[in-house]
Amino acid sequence: MTARFRPYLPTGLVLPVAFCYALAFPPYDLPFLIFPCFILWFALLERHQHWRHALKDGLWISQMITWLSFTWVAYSIRQFGNLPSSLAHALLVIFGVICQPQFWLFPPLAFAIRRVFPERGLKRIMVFALAYAAFDYGFPKLFVDTAGHAYYARPWLRQAADLGGAPLLTFLTVFLSGILWIWFEGAGRKAHWIPARWRLLVVEAGSHGPVFLVGAAVFLAWGGYGYFREKDIRSLTAEAPQSLQLAVIQANIGDFDKIASESGVGKAAEEILRRYFALSD
């Protein structure tokens, strides 16, 4: 029975890719995990001999990210649709297909890039990162999210968005992840004394040192721009003669019936008042 379903099961790197991607975003907010996510995804794509296998793994990645970060969608479906919990979770599985579709729709293009640029180098990584950023930005998604949004709470990194928006941050993320993948792969192949499954994690100086230096220069330019740009903005706002304070309030923050159905009338009243007081001066 296991052998029959084995071709449809995820390969070993699928789970860490999904975990790293999910943990990089709220509510976990560990943005630097977005780099190992794409490093491992590069390795996953390289292992496959056909894009159909990568597409299958991409579907699993999208599903796993859904169940790690978007389980509230099932709750919303159940509440607003007044549906049974089992049906709401069945619909969540369907939502998992379109939650992060780039992971299963992009592999055919990734394999086309690999055919045009068979050598692992800067050219392939540059084209791959540009294509992924354009695809992720242009393809319609329900929440219009992209990898660059992981840096929303990191001023030095998010500030580069004023040069090219979130797609630029996504491009930089994938480009630097690709460089690290090239370097790790080259180092791992030299560490013959380490079991093959662990060689990807080995970091040694090798023939890909110049590639790594390019990546380091790009990262320093990215962070350096953000640092000085944020410093200028803080200086301007500190010297401004007037200030404007804005707040965004969720439209249904006072949905008494919904909260009462979850926690009771008394606790619902306390929770709504607490939310309004927290948003008030």
Side-chain angles (χ1 to χ4, degrees):
M1 184 65 70
T2 303
R4 174 187 292 183
F5 292 102
R6 185 171 296 167
Y8 305 101
L9 297 177
T11 53
L13 290 177
V14 167
L15 186 59
V17 169
F19 258 100
C20 288
Y21 194 91
L23 294 177
F25 292 90
Y28 313 104
D29 283 330
L30 300 171
F32 285 100
L33 286 179
I34 202 72
F35 290 102
C37 166
F38 281 101
I39 293 170
L40 293 171
W41 193 44
F42 271 107
L44 182 64
L45 292 174
E46 194 70 15
R47 286 184 179 184
H48 289 306
Q49 299 301 317
H50 198 283
W51 61 264
R52 291 190 182 90
H53 302 142
L55 185 152
K56 177 262 297 181
D57 278 346
L59 282 168
W60 277 107
I61 291 171
S62 182
Q63 282 289 341
M64 289 181 181
I65 293 173
T66 300
W67 288 90
L68 286 168
S69 298
F70 293 93
T71 51
W72 58 268
V73 171
Y75 173 80
S76 299
I77 292 173
R78 181 170 66 86
Q79 289 292 322
F80 290 101
N82 196 23
L83 299 174
S85 180
S86 57
L87 179 57
H89 284 85
L91 292 173
L92 181 65
V93 174
I94 298 175
F95 171 74
V97 176
I98 63 172
C99 178
Q100 299 297 330
Q102 73 276 12
F103 283 109
W104 61 273
L105 288 175
F106 189 74
L109 181 56
F111 274 70
I113 294 172
R114 192 168 77 178
R115 284 194 299 271
V116 176
F117 301 97
E119 182 181 354
R120 301 174 185 174
L122 287 176
K123 289 183 180 179
R124 190 208 287 188
I125 297 303
M126 175 72 75
V127 174
F128 186 100
L130 284 170
Y132 178 88
F135 186 90
D136 198 29
Y137 174 75
F139 192 84
K141 297 170 69 175
L142 182 61
F143 297 113
V144 201
D145 60 298
T146 186
H149 289 142
Y151 310 114
Y152 78 96
R154 300 296 187 272
W156 292 10
L157 297 178
R158 75 181 181 215
Q159 197 59 54
D162 59 13
L163 299 177
L168 174 61
L169 303 183
T170 298
F171 164 76
L172 291 171
T173 299
V174 179
F175 178 69
L176 292 175
S177 299
I179 287 178
L180 290 171
W181 167 72
I182 290 175
W183 198 49
F184 288 178
E185 278 282 288
R189 288 175 184 273
K190 296 181 179 182
H192 300 293
W193 54 276
I194 294 178
R197 68 178 63 183
W198 299 110
R199 287 178 191 169
L200 183 64
L201 304 178
V202 178
V203 180
E204 292 181 355
S207 60
H208 294 297
V211 176
F212 179 76
L213 291 177
V214 171
V218 171
F219 183 78
L220 288 174
W222 178 11
Y225 173 84
Y227 171 77
F228 289 108
R229 178 63 174 155
E230 186 204 9
K231 188 176 180 180
D232 289 341
I233 293 174
R234 289 186 180 276
S235 177
L236 291 172
T237 54
E239 298 173 0
Q242 295 180 333
S243 62
L244 177 64
Q245 183 175 354
L246 301 175
V248 178
I249 300 176
Q250 186 175 334
N252 66 339
I253 194 172
D255 191 348
F256 183 84
D257 292 335
K258 177 182 175 182
I259 301 175
S261 67
E262 301 170 5
S263 55
V265 174
K267 290 185 178 180
E270 293 177 1
E271 176 62 17
I272 291 172
L273 289 174
R274 185 195 66 78
R275 293 180 183 180
Y276 278 115
F277 284 134
L279 294 170
S280 303
D281 291 333

